[in-house]
Amino acid sequence: MSELLARLRPGDLTAGALLVLALALVVADIALAGAGLPGTPVFAGAAALVAAATLTVGLRAWSRPESTTDWRTAIRAAAHDAARDLPGTGLVLLAATTCFLCTWMLLPLAFLEPGPPALALVAVDGRRRPPDGIHREVGRLPGF
């Protein structure tokens, strides 16, 4: 409970408000893309890419330890990690897409929504930094 109360800072509340505004912008973009204006396929594709990149960088920034003290540092580091680690970024994006589709298909599954992204973020972080001693144990196996 103390960790949750520690996260209720103005920066965290601002980040949440920006998330809600970004979601509203994406919904407005989708509505405009469905209006039948010229250039709609290109606009819809670009909007989807921007939304996916923003989502993955935001999720990766949220999972970084720096996000508890300085959001700007966390976002910069997450953007660097997202560009450098494309398979990890794909895993986080796939987890977020899974959440969206599960909630879209069956609304009561919405309370399970934090699970897949949290699992993906832990897996991506654990993949980058293996635990101590794992290389020593693998080196002792025959054939390595």
Side-chain angles (χ1 to χ4, degrees):
M1 185 70 172
S2 64
E3 290 180 15
L4 179 63
L5 292 176
R7 293 299 300 244
L8 292 176
R9 300 175 298 119
D12 293 331
L13 297 175
T14 304
L18 287 175
L19 176 68
V20 170
L21 288 175
L23 182 61
L25 181 64
V26 168
V27 169
D29 287 344
I30 291 171
L32 285 175
L37 298 172
T40 297
V42 175
F43 176 75
L49 285 175
V50 168
T54 304
L55 178 68
T56 54
V57 169
L59 284 172
R60 289 184 86 149
W62 167 71
S63 71
R64 296 190 62 83
E66 297 93 19
S67 69
T68 58
T69 57
D70 187 16
W71 270 103
R72 288 187 179 133
T73 305
I75 290 173
R76 278 192 213 109
H80 178 61
D81 287 346
R84 191 175 39 135
D85 181 24
L86 291 179
T89 301
L91 182 65
V92 172
L93 185 60
L94 184 62
T97 304
T98 301
C99 287
F100 171 74
L101 289 176
C102 287
T103 304
W104 171 69
M105 287 187 294
L106 191 59
L107 191 58
L109 292 178
F111 74 96
L112 296 173
E113 200 165 302
L119 182 62
L121 291 166
V122 168
V124 167
D125 190 41
R127 191 174 49 95
R128 279 188 308 162
R129 293 180 284 168
D132 291 335
I134 194 164
H135 295 295
R136 288 178 282 159
E137 297 299 322
V138 170
R140 292 184 195 165
L141 296 174
F144 285 100

